[in-house]
Amino acid sequence: MNKYRYIKEHNNYDLKLGAEYQGYIYKKGWIAIPNNQNDIVLYREECFKKIN
């Protein structure tokens, strides 16, 4: 998994702007990030920046 920073707010996302999350590219344009219940949630890639 890679680290991603949430950089662009989206109405439907309950994430903290500027926070870092572990995830991976699910398919073009989508990032999969596990939530606290270990369910995989898909988010638009445009709202995140990959951190190396």
Side-chain angles (χ1 to χ4, degrees):
M1 278 206 237
N2 297 305
K3 274 192 171 183
Y4 294 91
R5 180 172 286 130
Y6 183 49
I7 59 167
K8 180 180 173 188
E9 282 192 297
H10 189 285
N11 301 11
N12 299 331
Y13 298 168
D14 190 23
L15 301 174
K16 184 177 177 185
L17 195 62
E20 296 179 6
Y21 298 92
Q22 292 282 337
Y24 58 91
I25 298 294
Y26 177 73
K27 64 181 183 178
K28 184 175 175 137
W30 295 92
I31 295 176
I33 297 176
N35 65 13
N36 292 338
Q37 292 80 31
N38 277 338
D39 295 324
I40 300 299
V41 182
L42 297 179
Y43 297 99
R44 293 186 182 275
E45 189 175 6
E46 67 194 34
C47 296
F48 293 85
K49 178 180 179 184
K50 186 177 177 182
I51 302 170
N52 291 334

Coordinates of all heavy atoms in Angstrom, one line a residue:
M1 N 0.8 -1.2 0.0 CA 0.0 0.0 0.0 C 0.9 1.2 0.0 O 2.0 1.2 0.5 CB -0.9 0.0 1.2 CG -2.1 -0.8 1.0 SD -3.5 -0.3 2.1 CE -3.8 -1.7 3.0
N2 N 0.3 2.3 -0.5 CA 1.0 3.6 -0.6 C 0.3 4.6 0.4 O -0.8 4.3 0.8 CB 0.9 4.2 -2.0 CG 1.7 3.3 -3.0 OD1 2.8 3.0 -2.8 ND2 1.0 2.9 -4.0
K3 N 1.0 5.7 0.6 CA 0.4 6.8 1.4 C -0.2 7.8 0.5 O 0.5 8.2 -0.5 CB 1.4 7.4 2.4 CG 1.6 6.7 3.7 CD 2.4 7.5 4.6 CE 2.4 6.9 6.0 NZ 3.1 7.8 6.9
Y4 N -1.3 8.3 0.9 CA -2.0 9.4 0.1 C -2.4 10.5 1.1 O -2.9 10.2 2.2 CB -3.2 8.9 -0.7 CG -2.8 7.9 -1.8 CD1 -2.8 6.5 -1.5 CD2 -2.5 8.4 -3.0 CE1 -2.4 5.7 -2.5 CE2 -2.2 7.5 -4.0 CZ -2.1 6.1 -3.8 OH -1.8 5.2 -4.7
R5 N -2.3 11.8 0.6 CA -2.8 12.9 1.4 C -4.0 13.4 0.8 O -4.1 13.6 -0.5 CB -1.7 14.0 1.4 CG -2.2 15.2 2.3 CD -1.1 16.2 2.5 NE -0.2 15.7 3.5 CZ 1.1 15.6 3.3 NH1 1.7 16.1 2.2 NH2 1.9 15.1 4.2
Y6 N -5.0 13.6 1.6 CA -6.3 14.2 1.1 C -6.2 15.7 0.9 O -6.0 16.4 1.8 CB -7.4 13.8 2.2 CG -8.8 14.2 1.8 CD1 -9.4 13.9 0.6 CD2 -9.6 14.9 2.7 CE1 -10.7 14.3 0.2 CE2 -10.9 15.3 2.4 CZ -11.4 14.9 1.2 OH -12.7 15.3 0.9
I7 N -6.2 16.1 -0.4 CA -5.9 17.5 -0.7 C -7.1 18.3 -1.3 O -7.0 19.5 -1.3 CB -4.7 17.6 -1.7 CG1 -5.1 16.9 -3.0 CG2 -3.4 17.0 -1.1 CD1 -4.1 17.1 -4.1
K8 N -8.1 17.7 -1.7 CA -9.2 18.4 -2.3 C -10.6 17.9 -1.7 O -10.9 16.7 -1.9 CB -9.2 18.2 -3.8 CG -10.3 18.9 -4.6 CD -10.2 18.6 -6.1 CE -11.4 19.1 -6.8 NZ -11.3 18.7 -8.2
E9 N -11.3 18.8 -1.0 CA -12.5 18.3 -0.4 C -13.6 17.8 -1.4 O -13.7 18.3 -2.5 CB -13.1 19.5 0.5 CG -12.4 19.6 1.8 CD -13.1 20.6 2.7 OE1 -13.3 21.7 2.4 OE2 -13.5 20.1 3.8
H10 N -14.3 16.9 -0.9 CA -15.4 16.3 -1.7 C -16.6 16.2 -0.8 O -16.5 15.8 0.4 CB -15.0 15.0 -2.3 CG -16.0 14.4 -3.3 ND1 -17.2 13.9 -2.9 CD2 -15.9 14.3 -4.6 CE1 -17.9 13.5 -4.0 NE2 -17.1 13.7 -5.0
N11 N -17.8 16.6 -1.3 CA -19.0 16.6 -0.4 C -19.3 15.3 0.3 O -19.8 15.3 1.4 CB -20.3 16.9 -1.3 CG -20.2 18.2 -2.0 OD1 -19.2 18.9 -2.0 ND2 -21.3 18.7 -2.6
N12 N -19.1 14.2 -0.4 CA -19.5 12.9 0.1 C -18.5 12.2 1.0 O -18.7 11.1 1.4 CB -19.9 12.0 -1.0 CG -21.1 12.5 -1.8 OD1 -21.9 13.3 -1.2 ND2 -21.2 12.2 -3.1
Y13 N -17.3 12.8 1.1 CA -16.2 12.1 1.8 C -16.1 12.6 3.2 O -16.0 13.8 3.5 CB -14.9 12.3 1.1 CG -14.8 11.8 -0.3 CD1 -13.7 12.1 -1.1 CD2 -15.8 10.9 -0.8 CE1 -13.7 11.6 -2.4 CE2 -15.7 10.4 -2.1 CZ -14.6 10.8 -2.9 OH -14.6 10.3 -4.2
D14 N -16.1 11.7 4.2 CA -15.9 12.1 5.6 C -14.5 11.9 6.0 O -14.2 11.1 6.9 CB -16.9 11.2 6.4 CG -17.0 11.7 7.9 OD1 -16.7 12.8 8.1 OD2 -17.3 10.8 8.7
L15 N -13.6 12.7 5.4 CA -12.2 12.6 5.6 C -11.7 13.9 6.1 O -12.3 15.0 5.8 CB -11.4 12.2 4.4 CG -11.8 10.8 3.7 CD1 -11.1 10.6 2.4 CD2 -11.5 9.7 4.7
K16 N -10.5 14.0 6.7 CA -9.9 15.2 7.2 C -9.0 15.8 6.2 O -8.0 15.1 5.8 CB -9.2 15.0 8.5 CG -8.7 16.2 9.1 CD -8.0 15.9 10.5 CE -7.4 17.2 11.0 NZ -6.7 16.9 12.3
L17 N -9.2 17.0 5.7 CA -8.4 17.6 4.7 C -6.9 17.7 5.2 O -6.7 18.1 6.3 CB -8.9 19.0 4.4 CG -8.4 19.6 3.1 CD1 -8.7 18.8 1.9 CD2 -8.9 21.0 3.0
G18 N -6.0 17.3 4.4 CA -4.6 17.3 4.8 C -4.1 16.0 5.5 O -2.9 15.8 5.7
A19 N -5.0 15.2 5.9 CA -4.6 13.9 6.6 C -4.1 12.9 5.6 O -4.3 13.0 4.4 CB -5.9 13.3 7.3
E20 N -3.3 12.0 6.1 CA -2.7 10.9 5.3 C -3.4 9.6 5.5 O -3.8 9.3 6.6 CB -1.2 10.8 5.6 CG -0.4 12.0 5.3 CD 1.1 11.9 5.7 OE1 1.5 10.8 6.1 OE2 1.8 12.9 5.5
Y21 N -3.5 8.9 4.4 CA -4.2 7.6 4.5 C -3.4 6.5 3.7 O -2.8 6.9 2.7 CB -5.6 7.7 3.8 CG -6.5 8.7 4.6 CD1 -6.5 10.0 4.2 CD2 -7.2 8.3 5.7 CE1 -7.3 10.9 4.9 CE2 -8.0 9.2 6.4 CZ -8.1 10.5 6.0 OH -8.9 11.4 6.7
Q22 N -3.5 5.3 4.1 CA -2.9 4.2 3.4 C -3.9 3.7 2.4 O -5.1 3.5 2.7 CB -2.6 3.0 4.4 CG -1.5 3.3 5.4 CD -0.1 3.2 4.7 OE1 0.1 2.6 3.7 NE2 0.8 3.9 5.3
G23 N -3.5 3.4 1.2 CA -4.4 2.9 0.1 C -3.6 2.5 -1.1 O -2.4 2.4 -1.1
Y24 N -4.4 2.2 -2.1 CA -3.8 1.7 -3.4 C -4.7 2.1 -4.5 O -5.9 2.3 -4.3 CB -3.6 0.2 -3.3 CG -4.8 -0.6 -3.1 CD1 -5.6 -1.1 -4.1 CD2 -5.2 -0.9 -1.8 CE1 -6.7 -1.9 -3.9 CE2 -6.3 -1.7 -1.5 CZ -7.1 -2.1 -2.6 OH -8.2 -2.9 -2.3
I25 N -4.2 2.1 -5.7 CA -5.0 2.4 -6.9 C -5.9 1.2 -7.2 O -5.4 0.1 -7.4 CB -4.1 2.7 -8.2 CG1 -3.2 3.9 -7.9 CG2 -4.9 2.9 -9.4 CD1 -3.9 5.2 -7.8
Y26 N -7.2 1.4 -7.2 CA -8.1 0.4 -7.5 C -8.3 0.2 -9.0 O -8.2 -1.0 -9.5 CB -9.5 0.7 -6.8 CG -10.5 -0.3 -7.1 CD1 -10.5 -1.5 -6.5 CD2 -11.6 0.0 -8.0 CE1 -11.5 -2.5 -6.7 CE2 -12.6 -0.9 -8.2 CZ -12.5 -2.1 -7.6 OH -13.5 -3.0 -7.9
K27 N -8.5 1.2 -9.7 CA -8.5 1.3 -11.1 C -8.3 2.7 -11.5 O -8.3 3.6 -10.6 CB -9.8 0.7 -11.7 CG -11.1 1.4 -11.4 CD -12.3 0.7 -12.0 CE -13.5 1.5 -11.8 NZ -14.7 0.9 -12.4
K28 N -8.1 3.0 -12.8 CA -7.8 4.4 -13.2 C -8.9 5.4 -12.6 O -10.1 5.3 -12.8 CB -7.8 4.5 -14.7 CG -7.4 5.8 -15.2 CD -7.3 5.9 -16.7 CE -7.0 7.3 -17.1 NZ -6.1 7.4 -18.1
G29 N -8.3 6.4 -11.9 CA -9.2 7.4 -11.3 C -9.7 7.1 -9.9 O -10.4 8.0 -9.3
W30 N -9.5 5.9 -9.4 CA -10.0 5.6 -8.1 C -9.0 5.0 -7.2 O -8.1 4.2 -7.6 CB -11.1 4.5 -8.3 CG -12.3 5.1 -9.0 CD1 -12.5 5.1 -10.3 CD2 -13.4 5.8 -8.4 NE1 -13.7 5.7 -10.6 CE2 -14.3 6.2 -9.5 CE3 -13.8 6.2 -7.1 CZ2 -15.4 6.9 -9.3 CZ3 -14.9 6.9 -7.0 CH2 -15.7 7.3 -8.0
I31 N -9.0 5.4 -5.9 CA -8.1 4.9 -4.9 C -9.0 4.1 -3.9 O -10.0 4.6 -3.5 CB -7.4 6.1 -4.2 CG1 -6.5 6.8 -5.1 CG2 -6.6 5.6 -3.0 CD1 -5.8 8.0 -4.6
A32 N -8.5 3.0 -3.4 CA -9.1 2.2 -2.4 C -8.4 2.4 -1.1 O -7.2 2.3 -1.0 CB -9.1 0.7 -2.8
I33 N -9.2 2.8 -0.1 CA -8.7 3.1 1.3 C -9.5 2.3 2.3 O -10.7 2.5 2.3 CB -8.7 4.6 1.6 CG1 -7.8 5.3 0.6 CG2 -8.2 4.8 3.0 CD1 -7.8 6.8 0.8
P34 N -8.9 1.4 3.1 CA -9.6 0.7 4.1 C -10.1 1.7 5.2 O -9.3 2.6 5.6 CB -8.6 -0.3 4.7 CG -7.4 -0.3 3.8 CD -7.5 1.0 3.0
N35 N -11.3 1.5 5.7 CA -11.8 2.4 6.8 C -11.5 1.6 8.1 O -10.9 0.6 8.2 CB -13.3 2.7 6.6 CG -14.2 1.5 6.7 OD1 -13.8 0.4 7.1 ND2 -15.4 1.7 6.2
N36 N -12.1 2.2 9.2 CA -11.8 1.6 10.6 C -12.4 0.3 10.8 O -12.0 -0.5 11.6 CB -12.4 2.6 11.6 CG -11.6 3.9 11.7 OD1 -10.4 3.9 11.3 ND2 -12.2 4.9 12.2
Q37 N -13.4 -0.1 10.0 CA -14.0 -1.4 10.1 C -13.4 -2.4 9.1 O -13.9 -3.5 8.8 CB -15.5 -1.3 9.8 CG -16.3 -0.6 10.8 CD -16.2 0.9 10.7 OE1 -16.1 1.4 9.6 NE2 -16.3 1.6 11.8
N38 N -12.3 -2.0 8.5 CA -11.5 -2.8 7.5 C -12.3 -3.1 6.2 O -12.1 -4.0 5.5 CB -11.0 -4.1 8.1 CG -9.7 -3.9 8.8 OD1 -9.0 -2.9 8.6 ND2 -9.4 -4.8 9.7
D39 N -13.3 -2.2 5.9 CA -14.0 -2.3 4.7 C -13.2 -1.4 3.7 O -12.6 -0.4 4.1 CB -15.4 -1.7 4.8 CG -16.3 -2.6 5.7 OD1 -16.2 -3.8 5.6 OD2 -17.2 -2.0 6.4
I40 N -13.2 -1.8 2.4 CA -12.5 -1.0 1.4 C -13.5 0.0 0.9 O -14.6 -0.3 0.4 CB -12.0 -1.9 0.2 CG1 -11.0 -2.9 0.8 CG2 -11.4 -1.1 -0.9 CD1 -9.8 -2.4 1.4
V41 N -13.1 1.3 0.9 CA -13.9 2.4 0.4 C -13.2 3.0 -0.8 O -12.0 3.3 -0.8 CB -14.1 3.5 1.5 CG1 -15.0 4.6 1.0 CG2 -14.7 2.8 2.7
L42 N -13.9 3.3 -1.9 CA -13.3 3.9 -3.1 C -13.5 5.4 -3.0 O -14.5 6.0 -2.7 CB -14.0 3.4 -4.3 CG -13.8 1.9 -4.6 CD1 -14.5 1.5 -5.9 CD2 -12.3 1.5 -4.6
Y43 N -12.4 6.1 -3.4 CA -12.4 7.6 -3.5 C -11.8 8.0 -4.8 O -11.0 7.3 -5.4 CB -11.5 8.2 -2.3 CG -12.0 7.9 -1.0 CD1 -11.5 6.8 -0.2 CD2 -13.0 8.6 -0.4 CE1 -12.0 6.5 1.1 CE2 -13.5 8.3 0.9 CZ -13.0 7.3 1.6 OH -13.4 7.0 2.8
R44 N -12.2 9.2 -5.2 CA -11.7 9.7 -6.5 C -10.2 10.1 -6.3 O -9.8 10.8 -5.4 CB -12.5 11.0 -6.9 CG -13.9 10.6 -7.3 CD -14.6 11.9 -7.9 NE -15.9 11.6 -8.2 CZ -16.4 11.1 -9.3 NH1 -15.5 10.8 -10.3 NH2 -17.6 10.8 -9.5
E45 N -9.4 9.7 -7.2 CA -7.9 9.9 -7.2 C -7.6 11.4 -7.2 O -6.6 11.8 -6.6 CB -7.3 9.2 -8.3 CG -5.8 9.2 -8.3 CD -5.2 8.3 -9.4 OE1 -5.9 7.9 -10.3 OE2 -3.9 8.2 -9.4
E46 N -8.4 12.2 -7.9 CA -8.2 13.6 -8.0 C -8.2 14.4 -6.7 O -7.7 15.5 -6.5 CB -9.2 14.3 -8.9 CG -10.6 14.3 -8.3 CD -11.7 14.6 -9.4 OE1 -11.6 14.2 -10.5 OE2 -12.7 15.2 -8.9
C47 N -8.7 13.8 -5.6 CA -8.8 14.4 -4.3 C -7.6 14.1 -3.4 O -7.5 14.5 -2.3 CB -10.1 13.9 -3.6 SG -11.6 14.5 -4.4
F48 N -6.6 13.3 -4.0 CA -5.5 12.8 -3.2 C -4.2 13.1 -3.9 O -4.1 13.2 -5.1 CB -5.6 11.3 -2.9 CG -6.7 11.0 -2.0 CD1 -8.0 10.8 -2.5 CD2 -6.6 10.8 -0.7 CE1 -9.1 10.5 -1.7 CE2 -7.6 10.5 0.2 CZ -8.9 10.3 -0.4
K49 N -3.1 13.2 -3.1 CA -1.8 13.3 -3.7 C -1.0 12.2 -3.1 O -0.9 12.0 -1.9 CB -1.1 14.6 -3.3 CG 0.3 14.8 -3.8 CD 0.8 16.1 -3.3 CE 2.3 16.3 -3.8 NZ 2.9 17.5 -3.4
K50 N -0.3 11.4 -3.9 CA 0.6 10.3 -3.5 C 1.8 10.8 -2.8 O 2.4 11.8 -3.2 CB 1.0 9.4 -4.6 CG 1.7 8.2 -4.2 CD 2.0 7.3 -5.4 CE 2.8 6.1 -5.0 NZ 3.2 5.3 -6.1
I51 N 2.1 10.2 -1.6 CA 3.3 10.6 -0.8 C 4.3 9.5 -0.9 O 4.0 8.4 -0.7 CB 2.9 10.8 0.6 CG1 1.8 11.9 0.8 CG2 4.1 11.2 1.4 CD1 1.2 12.0 2.1
N52 N 5.5 9.9 -1.3 CA 6.6 8.8 -1.5 C 7.3 8.7 -0.2 O 7.6 9.5 0.6 CB 7.5 9.2 -2.6 CG 6.8 9.1 -3.9 OD1 5.9 8.4 -4.1 ND2 7.3 9.9 -4.9

